[in-house]
Amino acid sequence: MPEPLLRVENLCTYIYLDEGVVRAVDGASFTVQRGQTMALVGESGSGKSIVAQSIMRILPDRARIEAGRILFSANGDAPVDLAALPANGKTMRAIRGGAISIVFQEPMTSLSPVHTIGDQIGEMARLHREASRSAARALAVETLKAVGFPDPDRKVNAYPFELSGGLRQRAMIAMAIVCRPALLIADEPTSALDVTIQAQILDLLLKLQREYGMGLLIITHDPGVVAYAADAVTVMYLGKVMETGPVATLFENPQHPYLQALLRSTPHFGRADGERLQTIAGTVPDPLVRIRGCPFLSRCPEGEPELCGDAMPALRALAPGHEVACYKRDSVPESAPVGARA
Amino acid sequence: MTAAPATSLGGERDSLLVVRQLTKHFPLFQPWLLGLARRQVGAIAAVEDVSFTVTRGETLGLVGESGCGKTTTARLILRALKPTRGEILFNSGGTVVRVDQLEGKALRALRRHAQLIFQDPYSSLNPRMPVGEIIAEPLRLHGYGTPAEIRERVKTLMAMVGLDVRYLSRYPHAFSGGQRQRIGIARALALSPELIVCDEPVSALDVSAQAQVLNLLKDLKAELGLTSLFISHNLAVIDYVADRVAVMYAGRIVEMASKRELFERPKHPYTEALLAAVLQPDPKLRADRQVLGNDGQGWLPSSNQGCPYAPRCRYAVDRCAVERPELRPVGPDHLASCHRVDEIRLAPLLRRQRAAPGGRT
Ligand SMILES: Nc1ncnc2c1ncn2[C@@H]1O[C@H](COP(=O)(O)OP(=O)(O)OP(=O)(O)O)[C@@H](O)[C@H]1O
Ligand SMILES: Nc1ncnc2c1ncn2[C@@H]1O[C@H](COP(=O)(O)OP(=O)(O)OP(=O)(O)O)[C@@H](O)[C@H]1O
Ligand code: SF4
Ligand code: SF4
Ligand SMILES: [Mg+2]
Ligand SMILES: [Mg+2]
């Protein structure tokens, strides 16, 4: 087996607040293969953004990686453990924005309001690729073209405030891909956009991924985005990975009780009149309260306190590449799928 | 509601709400005198000539992109804003009220009959008030009854929306997003309104909380016969709650039909673009999704007289640049505003599963 692009192993990132410790990421493991799109999904607060910030080493001051490894191999060589590098050391600074880059939900978090988009994209190229001033500018125009900017020769001189939300998102993507990263992380890249624009941006990310052979780690809570864009899915709940595997398997034959419930509660078209959405009982537990056993126990229809309450179930492989963390799932049942569709 | 002139609702007998040529222009200012003052340089037509009817007991969905005027329409109907022009007729218990002309006390009385549920469950509740007080406030303001009666009503409302009455004295911060939205709904229902306007009520919620709130709204509709105007950008949500759908673009309604008709026989190119952008939670469908690349890159410039969608429309012809299409009947209970309705065949929502292994190509 060739070395995968990214292997996150037992990652634990905790946040130290005055009120206590939030185990924002608590033993997460998943793998992104080269050229693949992995979707990281889960409800608000499940730790998706903290995973991304751990990989990029841009965590808030109060957060610390406590354990685990983030093994990254840009071109198949022996991997580096990003978790072990100094966050602001030379290696990490070269990787950040170079071999790995990130786009956020809100473009203005990465675009400066006082510089033209051309200068900002060019600056990335000068920093990471040691391009000359004129080469950087040419690269900026070329990249704007690649992200579908209308009239890139002229728009290269535009300031972010002169652009629509969708174009700003494209400018941020241009900045993220100008150095041809091996891994692009997109944290809710389309949630703030209108539906027609959302679909365009997603199509753009997928097109760039194919052209550049990038790995894409896409963070979203929208099952529609996952179904459309992802090759594989990792489902998080309260800082832990509940299930990970190929997209078709997870939608058609989801195994973890949480994923099964999540898919049943997603609105989709073509329901019979009067048919109701199924809901998940209760709410996500307080992140400040430490849970020893399975974090889903308080809401799980199959949970048994004696079985599930003492220790977190380990991720176990049901099939190659398909792993589930649940005491009640030893193997994939042969019977009919428990899928989302009615 | 009293003290407002009665107007005929025409033949539309069980219409609860009739809106005619509703228009709202916001003044557009520019800094002036080195930013010390500002002057008006024009107007934004946030809502332009919007007309529709909501029948008693029905849910009308309102969809469209950001800035197309959905919230402004909602605020006009509830008279949080004064219309620039147009009529809003509200049929409350046989008395028809011209909402657009209401002032003062009569306007406050309207709140008994029409209520708004907001998108943001975090900012729409007073953080310094316990939940019981938040729900009781409209009851007090409208002189609902004795303190004991109000307390009873609050408990009934909490039970109705599935909140534990033991939480009565908790503050909003102690609730999850879905629970906060329930508090907002209980408050909106306190005075038994006939109409509720829901402005993106589940957009800020996670899938699981969203399902709870959508089911709740559906149950309340069945139990209380609520009539509602439901704004959302999520067409799957609209499909779940609405009976009819109005599509807005740039301040105008460009298409309106029953949801089935709209999803299966769209007649306006913008509706087609919206349907094509839907990402269904089914990986088998993705190979079939059409990419309507042209949306957003049409060839016609925008103009004041032409079709507002022309600059983005992949079907635009010269006529579209100079002549504005009227909203007109194009099928059973189906209105659309496009010159080329009879010439173009638009793609419906993709909903069937076809065998499409191997994912996208
Ligand atoms: N800067 C921060 N300071 C304190 N706590 C934080 C911070 N960022 C995240 N957290 C906490 O860490 C946990 C995980 O948060 P994270 O932002 O990773 O969630 P998420 O899955 O990205 O959610 P969302 O879908 O809402 O973006 C949550 O309990 C959150 O409150
Ligand atoms: N108080 C105001 N003053 C000036 N302009 C306004 C005001 N309120 C809204 N607008 C403008 O009117 C237009 C319609 O806004 P509106 O909030 O109704 O859109 P919307 O369809 O609800 O959008 P969204 O989906 O983003 O909520 C926009 O161009 C907006 O900038
Ligand atoms: S381990 Fe137990 S509580 Fe957790 S998901 Fe499985 S059955 Fe439910
Ligand atoms: S009138 Fe013309 S521009 Fe407008 S939607 Fe129809 S075809 Fe497109
Ligand atoms: Mg996040
Ligand atoms: Mg709005």
Side-chain angles (χ1 to χ4, degrees), chain A residues 43-44 194-195 199-200 202-203 209-210 224 227-230 252 267 269-270 275-277 279-280 341, chain B residues 65-66 206 208 210 212 215 219 235-236 240 274 278-280 282 284 286 289 291 295 349 351 353 360:
Chain A
E43 289 176 83
S44 186
D194 281 317
V195 280
Q200 290 170 16
L202 218 49
D203 285 333
Q209 178 203 37
R210 277 197 302 276
Y228 181 62
E252 273 149 43
F269 291 91
E275 191 189 330
R276 291 165 57 85
L277 296 169
T279 57
I280 307 178
R341 281 175 310 279
Chain B
E65 67 188 2
S66 187
D206 275 319
S208 68
Q210 178 180 305
Q212 293 174 359
N215 280 344
D219 292 345
L235 285 178
Y240 187 59
L274 280 181
V278 167
L279 300 174
Q280 305 219 40
D282 182 351
K284 280 197 195 126
R286 69 181 173 191
R289 204 187 125 244
V291 180
D295 183 77
L349 179 76
R351 59 166 89 223
Q353 290 172 33
R360 63 176 190 278

Side-chain angles (χ1 to χ4, degrees), chain A residues 40-43 46-48 51 234-241 258:
Chain A
L40 197 54
V41 302
E43 289 176 83
S46 57
K48 306 181 295 294
V51 166
T234 297
V235 183
M236 288 185 73
Y237 186 80
L238 221 62
K240 297 189 161 76
V241 171
Y258 172 61

Side-chain angles (χ1 to χ4, degrees), chain A residues 62-145:
Chain A
R62 290 173 294 194
R64 231 176 31 224
I65 297 180
E66 292 294 332
R69 303 199 294 170
I70 301 170
L71 299 171
F72 175 66
S73 163
N75 34 33
D77 303 340
V80 266
D81 180 5
L82 305 181
L85 293 173
N88 286 310
K90 194 159 162 260
T91 319
M92 201 57 231
R93 271 185 295 144
I95 291 176
R96 200 185 298 129
I100 309 181
S101 53
I102 186 163
V103 293
F104 299 98
Q105 175 171 354
E106 179 38 66
M108 292 315 277
T109 50
S110 31
L111 292 175
S112 152
V114 298
H115 295 103
T116 64
I117 55 170
D119 284 349
Q120 298 186 54
I121 298 166
E123 184 61 25
M124 293 302 285
R126 281 158 55 80
L127 214 74
H128 289 281
R129 294 175 68 172
E130 289 162 7
S132 70
R133 199 169 280 275
S134 61
R137 191 178 169 82
L139 203 55
V141 174
E142 186 193 308
T143 312
L144 285 175
K145 197 180 280 164

Side-chain angles (χ1 to χ4, degrees), chain A residues 181-199:
Chain A
L183 174 65
L184 179 65
I185 303 175
D187 192 350
E188 307 267 1
T190 60
S191 311
L193 300 170
D194 281 317
V195 280
T196 55
I197 316 289
Q198 250 180 43

Side-chain angles (χ1 to χ4, degrees), chain B residues 122-138:
Chain B
Y122 300 93
S123 64
S124 60
L125 302 175
N126 182 343
R128 280 179 290 278
M129 253 193 204
V131 169
E133 291 301 306
I134 289 176
I135 300 172
E137 194 179 43

